Amino acid sequence: MLPTDNPTAQLVDGVMIYIFGLSLLLLLGITIVTIYFVVKYRRSRCPEPTSDVDHSIVLEAIWTVLPTLIVLTMFWYGWVNYVGLTEVPEGAMEVSATARMWSWQFEYADGRRENRLFVPANTPVKVRLQSTDVIHSFFVPAFRIKKDMVPGLETYVWFEAPKPGSYDIFCTEYCGVGHADMITTIEALSAEDYAAWLVADAPPEHRGLVVLREQGCIGCHSIDGTPGIGPSLFELAGSPRQVEIDGQTTEITIDDDYLIRAIREANYEVVQGYPAMMPSYDEASLNNDDLQSLVDYMMGRPDTTSAPLDGARLIEINGCTGCHSTDGSPSIGPTFQGISSRDITIIRDGKEVTQQADADYLLRALVDPSVETVKGYPDIMPPSDYLSPEELDAIVEHLLQQ
């Protein structure tokens, strides 16, 4: 039986019980009155009508006003509880959920991604919903929450798990041949277990962010777009910036070269509207490796100094195994087992071509899968353009070892 001791389930169940209870009461009342009239006014007892009454204002008022009041109370109760489903409690934890054919991916504030939703029990959680391809629908029966996910439209739901446990997540909008397999779970953990999970699965901090803190840069420059003494370092790559050079204002586009100059020769190009007070950092105070880490961080690139990416882990959290088996069993797409040691027949420009699944082919199959479709399988795989080059390389390297 589904649990009812959580706030969203109580909101939905309360309305359902109220409407069902009233409907049952009306059904019983109408049935009893009907049976009574059938018995009392049966033809054998009353062969001819004897009443001259053609209307009753009282009765007409009752059967007009009473149903109207009942329907209005149903609407009011339903509306109040529906609003409750949209009002997220203050301090709720936020997670982003992305649906794609045919997998779920959850991204946390610290950048980590998972194919299951890990949350602390007894804590309200807001889930931001988005779809990358077709219409999906996020449905958690235990919490009575369901919301359609339309490409290009961000929506949200919220819930609170009353106790640790595993709760199913389904897609309830038919989204293609893999729809039935688009299943994952909410893993509600105790406070202690969730804290341990945060530490165990925490992604390594970007070396550039570490250097920013070590050098005291975030004392003047915010990293989230909020105003500060100096310009914010939030989403810099490719954005225009007005700078003053020798008293002349000019517009530049932020790239690696500009950022390096802004650090090594801080007062050569001063951002308009900010004082020329930033110190320059020579190699003695900031070596070239740390400088490059800073630039990579500000340009939104991954940390090249961290441990190698785990291709198997990336395959798992990006939902690849929703369509591709790893043990040779048939699935929606070709199995990953032995993929690098077998020839693959592909359809390219309408012609069949047989080739080995080498690194170049696997990379093309990830980035633009519709160009070369494996024979016998539908052309339904979405492009993996949301992955970084480093993540793509890690996945290819792992597949080559299968």
Side-chain angles (χ1 to χ4, degrees):
M1 185 175 179
L2 294 176
T4 58
D5 54 347
N6 63 85
T8 50
Q10 290 170 354
L11 290 172
V12 174
D13 290 354
V15 176
M16 179 180 176
I17 292 171
Y18 179 70
I19 294 176
F20 181 80
L22 276 178
S23 300
L24 182 61
L25 183 63
L26 289 172
L27 174 62
L28 291 174
I30 292 172
T31 301
I32 291 171
V33 171
T34 301
I35 294 173
Y36 171 76
F37 284 169
V38 167
V39 173
K40 182 175 181 179
Y41 299 107
R42 61 189 183 275
R43 181 178 292 275
S44 61
R45 185 174 179 180
C46 302
E48 298 293 337
T50 58
S51 175
D52 294 328
V53 177
D54 59 359
H55 71 280
S56 171
I57 295 178
V58 174
L59 283 176
E60 291 170 1
I62 291 174
W63 70 50
T64 300
V65 174
L66 186 60
T68 301
L69 292 176
I70 291 174
V71 171
L72 287 176
T73 60
M74 289 180 178
F75 171 79
W76 175 83
Y77 195 23
W79 174 254
V80 169
N81 285 8
Y82 170 77
V83 171
L85 292 173
T86 65
E87 293 180 337
V88 183
E90 291 187 12
M93 168 184 165
E94 291 198 15
V95 183
S96 294
T98 300
R100 59 175 60 90
M101 298 186 292
W102 289 274
S103 65
W104 300 98
Q105 186 178 85
F106 304 98
E107 184 169 349
Y108 293 78
D110 60 3
R112 80 180 68 192
R113 298 196 298 260
E114 296 286 345
N115 61 340
R116 291 183 294 167
L117 179 52
F118 291 87
V119 300
N122 298 306
T123 300
V125 179
K126 178 180 180 180
V127 186
R128 297 183 178 275
L129 306 173
Q130 57 184 351
S131 170
T132 63
D133 37 46
V134 299
I135 298 177
H136 299 280
S137 190
F138 183 87
F139 176 48
V140 187
F143 304 135
R144 315 295 195 270
I145 52 175
K146 179 182 178 297
K147 183 76 75 170
D148 285 350
M149 305 168 73
V150 181
L153 177 66
E154 183 179 292
T155 53
Y156 70 91
V157 293
W158 77 273
F159 66 90
E160 182 178 335
K163 58 185 177 182
S166 183
Y167 306 91
D168 292 326
I169 299 176
F170 300 99
C171 175
T172 52
E173 186 73 35
Y174 181 69
C175 52
V177 295
H179 167 70
D181 297 320
M182 196 167 168
I183 302 171
T184 188
T185 57
I186 293 173
E187 300 295 333
L189 308 176
S190 65
E192 297 78 12
D193 290 343
Y194 185 74
W197 175 80
L198 283 175
V199 174
D201 284 353
E205 194 168 47
H206 199 293
R207 174 59 187 167
L209 180 57
V210 174
V211 175
L212 279 176
R213 292 198 183 103
E214 291 176 347
Q215 297 292 338
C217 305
I218 56 177
C220 295
H221 304 273
S222 75
I223 58 175
D224 59 1
T226 56
I229 300 171
S232 176
L233 305 180
F234 182 68
E235 294 184 349
L236 295 181
S239 61
R241 179 146 294 181
Q242 299 288 329
V243 298
E244 294 183 5
I245 304 175
D246 297 329
Q248 300 294 320
T249 300
T250 185
E251 182 175 281
I252 56 94
T253 299
I254 296 178
D255 56 13
D256 287 31
D257 291 338
Y258 164 73
L259 292 175
I260 291 173
R261 292 195 307 271
I263 295 171
R264 292 293 193 211
E265 305 174 66
N267 293 318
Y268 174 68
E269 297 167 308
V270 180
V271 177
Q272 192 174 44
Y274 293 93
M277 55 183 292
M278 175 175 164
S280 297
Y281 291 82
D282 56 20
E283 288 191 46
S285 56
L286 184 67
N287 63 54
N288 288 330
D289 289 340
D290 284 348
L291 173 62
Q292 188 59 51
S293 294
L294 273 178
V295 172
D296 287 341
Y297 176 77
M298 289 188 284
M299 292 295 288
R301 291 191 288 265
D303 186 1
T304 57
T305 65
S306 60
L309 295 171
D310 185 345
R313 173 72 171 151
L314 289 170
I315 285 174
E316 178 188 357
I317 65 176
N318 285 285
C320 305
T321 52
C323 295
H324 304 272
S325 71
T326 58
D327 58 2
S329 58
S331 189
I332 300 169
T335 182
F336 286 153
Q337 186 181 57
I339 192 170
S340 62
S341 60
R342 68 176 187 263
D343 290 336
I344 294 179
T345 301
I346 60 175
I347 309 299
R348 180 193 300 157
D349 297 329
K351 299 178 181 179
E352 292 187 11
V353 180
T354 300
Q355 68 171 62
Q356 189 176 13
D358 56 14
D360 290 338
Y361 164 74
L362 292 173
L363 186 59
R364 294 196 305 272
L366 288 168
V367 175
D368 199 353
S370 296
V371 173
E372 299 171 322
T373 305
V374 178
K375 182 180 179 181
Y377 293 94
D379 179 16
I380 55 179
M381 177 174 167
S384 301
D385 49 5
Y386 55 91
L387 297 174
S388 69
E390 292 78 14
E391 290 173 323
L392 290 169
D393 289 341
I395 292 175
V396 169
E397 183 178 352
H398 174 75
L399 292 177
L400 290 174
Q401 298 171 0
Q402 300 307 298

